[in-house]
Every structure is written in C-alpha cells, then in structure tokens.
Amino acid sequence: MSQQSVAVDIDKVEKVYGAGTAAYRALHPITLQIKENEFFTLLGPSGCGKTTLLRMIAGFEAPSAGTIRLRGQNIQDTPAHKRRVNTVFQSYALFPHLTLAQNVAFGLENLKVERSKVKARVAEMLKMVHMDSFADRKPDQLSGGQRQRVALARALAPEPNVLLLDEPLSALDLKLRQAMRDELRTLQRQTGLTFIFVTHDQEEALDMSDRICVLGKGEVQQVGTPREIYENPSNRFVADFIGDTNFIEVQVNQVNGDQATVTTPWGITLNAKHNGAEAGKTATLSLRPEKIDLAEQATGIVSEGKVLSRNYLGGFTHYAVQCGPVQLRVSARNRQANSRLYEENQPIKIGFQESSAWVLGV
C-alpha cells in the first residue's frame, strides 16, 4: 500500500493506564493502515479497546508507545484541535442554546473562515443531511435522529481529512438506526472522506464497512472485508462474535493445502477449507445456521436428525436439531407465507455444502 493511499497509519500503538501492579493494558501493540476514502469499522465487545484507539487518533488520549500518522505526517505532538480530524459522538454534543445553523457554523468560525463562506457551507451541509428547513430551530426541538444528522453536518463542515464516529447510532431505536446506516454510507460516498466507525453491533459493521477490524482483549483479531470476516474468520473469537455459528469439535484426518479432511462426532467425513488445522489433532468446525438446509432442501453432506425446538421469527424460523451427540442451530428462511414448519420431536434430514464449513485450527 503506497503512503499516498493511507489516511491513518497506526504503527505499534499501545495504551497502558496506571503503573506497576496497578497498570492496566487497554491496547496491546496494534499496527493498522486505514485507506483514504474508505469506511473502516473498529468492531468488538465492550472493553476491547476500540474507543481508546479512536480517542488516540482524535488526540483526546496519548499513546503509551507507537506512532500515529495522518496522511504520512506524525501527529503524535499535534493537539486535538489542530488535527484535521473531527468526531461524532453518541451523545451528539450539540450546543443547546444555539440554533442548528449556529451549531454547524461553530467549527468554521473557530477556524476564522470568512463569514460569507461560513453561511454557504452551513447551508450546503444542512441540505446534505436533509435538515435545511430546520436551520433556525434549537436542538431540543428535534428528534434523536435529527440531532444526529446535525452533529454529522457540524463535523463535516470544516472538511476534515478523517471523520471519527464513536457509536453514533446506539441511542436510536431500531428503525431509525437502520435508516441512519443508509444515510451514513451515502454521506461517506458523497464526501469521499475516510470514515472510522466504532461499534459493537455486528450487523452495523457488516452493512456499512469497506473493511472491518475486529478487536478483542486489546488486540487485533482480524482485518478484512465484511465477507472475509464472516465467511473466513481467523479464529474462534471472530467466528463467535460475528453473527451466529455452530461450533463442532472434529477430528482432522488429513491436511492438503487449504483443505482439511475431517470427521464429525456423528460419523460424517468431509473436506473443508481450514485455518491452521493439523492432521491427527482435533479442531473446531464452524457452520453458520443459515447454511444448513432441512428435509427436502437437504443436499450435499446429508445426515439424520430430530427437531428439539422451534422459534418462529417472521422472516426466519430457528430450529434446534439433534444430530448424533451434537445439537445444531438451523435458521430456515420463510420464503412463502405458507412455508412448512417442522414440529418438535419430528425426525428430519439436514444437509450442507462442504464449502459452507470452515475449520478453525485455533
């Protein structure tokens, strides 16, 4: 990756709070390169270090070690207000006594931008987030989604090199979160800015990101496209955190390149792609519930099972199916209004393609 294409270069950055026996390592040494014009997501559970890393990019926290570069320039000693980086917070952080137009103008005025240009830029930004007709209102006259749009307009107005978004949708209800995801992605494409988005919501990350960095226990677990992360997780942590999956302990019979021949606990042998499997040892097979077919749809690797329970959720029906000594979760899409529902204790066939199985050696 050429230096010109890198927006943020994080080189062996770590963060330790306290000292001696009271020291707490929030981030182990992390190295990442975030490209220009990409929607990059830091994803992980609470306490994994994602917000700490975002705050160090913003300049609100100082790294204990390592270097952060913005477009090739070391910004280690650059104070937060002088970095070409803006942050959108979960709490919106709008000034309640100012109108929306005044809120959006605030950062521009601090940068001593000419008044005529400020007015034009404010109008442009409010129009971009569909809030131009609300310019004279105060924040307390808006809904949560509207306030979030204004917070975005204010952050975008000074034309930062990078926009940081710290769980900006978590305070919104489900329908509004889904709508705002579309709006955020559209805004990122319109502006061509680099967005660095922090979330613990896997669906948000998969829906919006060009690339995702999964963080766990203060370490980078995997970096890749949403499809790479979901279909080919690097380890059990990633497979478990991203979506839902069945973990099945299997015996590895043979390894040939990126293929492993394994035997399941119910006696089926199959060939699957793997990550670090070793012949003669046990490994963990990851199989997503939606990759398993039931009854007449069952093809590929077919086995006998029995329905233990059923949960109807509208678009999908989730089943627990006993297969030999293993209980599997199966997610069946209800494609038609009269899609067949299987009953508890009903014998049933399950099937999946070998290409849907992924063997984790670690």
Side-chain angles (χ1 to χ4, degrees):
M1 189 186 302
S2 66
Q3 189 62 56
Q4 289 72 32
S5 67
V6 177
V8 180
D9 187 3
I10 298 162
D11 186 16
K12 300 183 181 68
V13 167
E14 57 182 298
K15 182 64 178 178
V16 179
Y17 294 100
T21 56
Y24 168 69
R25 187 176 295 278
L27 276 179
H28 293 266
I30 282 180
T31 296
L32 280 175
Q33 288 189 326
I34 300 169
K35 302 173 188 176
E36 291 277 9
N37 314 128
E38 81 170 328
F39 199 120
F40 189 89
T41 296
L42 299 171
L43 173 68
S46 297
C48 72
K50 56 189 185 295
T51 295
T52 298
L53 181 56
L54 197 80
R55 288 176 61 82
M56 288 193 289
I57 297 170
F60 303 143
E61 298 267 6
S64 302
T67 305
I68 299 175
R69 298 182 184 87
L70 180 63
R71 290 186 168 176
Q73 298 297 312
N74 188 334
I75 56 172
Q76 208 78 346
D77 300 320
T78 305
H81 68 279
K82 290 189 176 180
R83 299 185 184 194
R84 293 293 304 276
V85 171
N86 274 352
T87 306
V88 178
F89 300 97
Q90 175 185 336
S91 60
Y92 319 128
L94 298 174
F95 298 112
H97 61 288
L98 300 181
T99 67
L100 306 192
Q102 290 167 336
N103 265 282
V104 176
F106 184 83
L108 297 169
E109 291 168 348
N110 277 355
L111 293 171
K112 311 298 183 187
V113 176
E114 292 178 24
R115 185 172 296 181
S116 61
K117 292 183 178 178
V118 170
K119 186 175 181 180
R121 183 67 174 165
V122 168
E124 179 188 356
M125 288 297 96
L126 286 175
K127 186 175 182 180
M128 181 179 285
V129 297
H130 313 296
M131 293 296 293
D132 44 318
S133 61
F134 296 81
D136 295 326
R137 294 195 186 183
K138 299 280 183 71
D140 63 1
Q141 297 174 288
L142 306 178
S143 68
Q146 289 171 327
R147 277 179 281 177
Q148 191 59 273
R149 289 190 184 97
V150 176
L152 281 164
R154 185 180 63 181
L156 290 167
E159 299 181 273
N161 293 333
V162 175
L163 187 67
L164 309 177
L165 301 110
D166 189 7
E167 305 222 32
L169 308 184
S170 58
L172 306 178
D173 63 46
L174 177 61
K175 288 279 188 182
L176 193 50
R177 281 205 311 272
Q178 290 171 335
M180 284 299 295
R181 289 196 325 225
D182 293 339
E183 291 193 27
L184 272 177
R185 196 67 174 104
T186 299
L187 272 174
Q188 193 269 333
R189 287 171 175 156
Q190 282 179 348
T191 61
L193 291 178
T194 301
F195 278 26
I196 303 178
F197 185 85
V198 161
T199 185
H200 63 273
D201 188 308
Q202 303 96 319
E203 189 175 298
E204 279 183 3
L206 292 170
D207 183 26
M208 293 191 291
S209 311
D210 294 315
R211 287 192 303 149
I212 298 169
C213 171
V214 181
L215 287 167
K217 300 178 181 177
E219 297 180 301
V220 173
Q221 302 292 327
Q222 187 173 359
V223 179
T225 66
R227 186 168 186 170
E228 288 167 348
I229 295 283
Y230 187 80
E231 300 290 354
N232 306 122
S234 62
N235 54 41
R236 184 168 179 142
F237 178 91
V238 176
D240 193 30
F241 188 74
I242 303 290
D244 190 18
T245 195
N246 294 287
F247 289 121
I248 305 159
E249 188 174 285
V250 293
Q251 182 66 38
V252 182
N253 305 321
Q254 185 179 346
V255 173
N256 184 12
D258 66 349
Q259 295 284 320
T261 304
V262 302
T263 301
T264 69
W266 61 92
I268 297 293
T269 297
L270 63 122
N271 294 307
K273 288 191 174 182
H274 76 97
N275 179 36
E278 296 181 41
K281 295 188 177 182
T282 57
T284 301
L285 185 144
S286 172
L287 183 62
R288 301 286 186 186
E290 75 277 7
K291 310 285 190 186
I292 304 173
D293 294 321
L294 292 173
E296 59 267 19
Q297 286 82 36
T299 59
I301 304 298
V302 178
S303 303
E304 300 289 336
K306 182 177 75 171
V307 175
L308 298 178
S309 64
R310 180 185 76 196
N311 296 93
Y312 177 80
L313 297 176
F316 289 87
T317 300
H318 297 320
Y319 294 92
V321 176
Q322 191 72 37
C323 192
V326 176
Q327 188 178 128
L328 299 175
R329 296 187 300 282
V330 180
S331 182
R333 178 177 287 280
N334 298 319
R335 294 181 174 86
Q336 301 173 14
N338 59 349
S339 291
R340 181 177 179 182
L341 297 177
Y342 301 99
E343 304 298 329
E344 291 184 11
N345 297 316
Q346 179 178 343
I348 199 167
K349 287 184 177 180
I350 66 160
F352 60 90
Q353 302 302 313
E354 288 180 309
S355 59
S356 297
W358 178 250
V359 180
L360 299 163
V362 290

